[in-house]
Amino acid sequence: MAHVKLHIPGPVEVSDKTMKAFRSPMIGHRGQGFKDLYAKMQPQLQALLYTKQLVYLSTSSAWGVMEGAIRNLVTKKVLNCMCGAFSDKWLDVSQRCGKAAEGLKVEWGSPVRAEQIDAKLATGQFDAVTVIHNETSTGVMSPLAEIAALKKKYPDVMFIVDAVSSLTAVKIEFDALGIDVLLAGTQKAFAMPPGLAVFACSPAALAKAATVKDRGYYFDFVEFQKNAEGSMTPSTPSIGHVYALASKLEDFFAEGLEARYARHLKLAQMTRDWATGHGFDLYPDKGFESVTLTCVNNGAKPGGRAVDVAKLQKLVKDQGFLIDGGYGKIKGTTFRVSNMGDETEGTMKELYAAMDNAMKGL
């Protein structure tokens, strides 16, 4: 069966170089070889997250760490900011963890704004807030710096940020922002196979976690810190993923982080231009569009063109590319095109040509 190139919001295409690293021979996860591998990556991971804190590796999807943040850091009540399917889910996760939780809901397609969070935190009810920086279901990127500035006003509130589909494509300066947890999975902008999460915690988050008795073990932040100090993980890691991550870090710094950010922004704009050039509107509010994927309005909101998304997907897939037909309640009334990871102007133009051909067949 011929390979279909992935331009969905994740998993995304993985390079031969990365897959070769992923298939490296196994080593003992408690041996010096693994310690050396992790120790070598640590300064690069810290540079990538712009932090002096140790960066942890979790063999899980990002949702494992998202749930772990709730278990480690919520003792009073958590405010879950909700602007799409994945941020909406965080409220459900919080409640299933037995925590008092409240959703701050905004319309899908709109970002979460600092003044909305401020109004909730001013009540004094909350000791944690969760934010998804880049909501993949809607293609909306909320203004993280604006939101993080609230930390100075509410120093005792834990600010937990999911950067699953933005980290490595957008500059996110963990220490400068002053947030408490920053987490990402590797199957999106990292352009690695799914199954590994990367995250960092502030000293305040680690101190808070240490006071929580029922935080569990697998996602115990204190255990992650203790093990990372010795260049290890609390439990058996996916060693293949760690080798792949080492390979990707080489790629990131060979390209240069600023060049990487600029590339993602340029490709996102090219995709937006393709959509508007074909008469479509974009689903996100203007000025809050994702730089890693484009969510195209296809009837979910008034205005612009609407086509048979399932047919468009098939016609594109017949040419060897997979785009996404929308997610959750806006499936079919939007569609999504990813430009994250290793994509270039050349590879994106190949996709646009296939999409152009597909449009002619509608």
Side-chain angles (χ1 to χ4, degrees), residues 20-35:
K20 183 179 179 182
F22 188 75
R23 296 191 298 268
S24 296
M26 288 297 99
I27 56 175
H29 71 286
R30 295 302 186 212
Q32 192 61 45
F34 180 83
K35 292 180 185 179

Side-chain angles (χ1 to χ4, degrees), residues 190-238:
F190 278 81
M192 286 171 50
L196 186 71
V198 173
F199 71 108
C201 296
S202 69
L206 291 171
K208 176 79 177 284
T211 69
V212 178
K213 291 184 169 59
D214 59 350
R215 62 184 182 268
Y217 177 80
Y218 194 83
F219 296 109
D220 178 354
F221 289 175
V222 177
E223 285 290 336
F224 273 100
Q225 173 66 18
K226 184 168 65 177
N227 278 271
E229 288 171 358
S231 298
M232 290 202 294
T233 55
S235 52
T236 308
S238 171

Side-chain angles (χ1 to χ4, degrees), residues 3-52:
H3 174 63
V4 177
K5 187 167 182 281
L6 300 179
H7 281 276
I8 56 176
V12 301
E13 201 70 9
V14 178
S15 71
D16 290 341
K17 176 179 181 286
T18 303
M19 288 306 301
K20 183 179 179 182
F22 188 75
R23 296 191 298 268
S24 296
M26 288 297 99
I27 56 175
H29 71 286
R30 295 302 186 212
Q32 192 61 45
F34 180 83
K35 292 180 185 179
D36 291 346
L37 178 62
Y38 193 179
K40 182 182 177 182
M41 289 192 302
Q42 187 61 245
Q44 294 173 309
L45 289 166
Q46 289 173 314
L48 184 64
L49 273 67
Y50 298 87
T51 184
K52 294 179 181 177

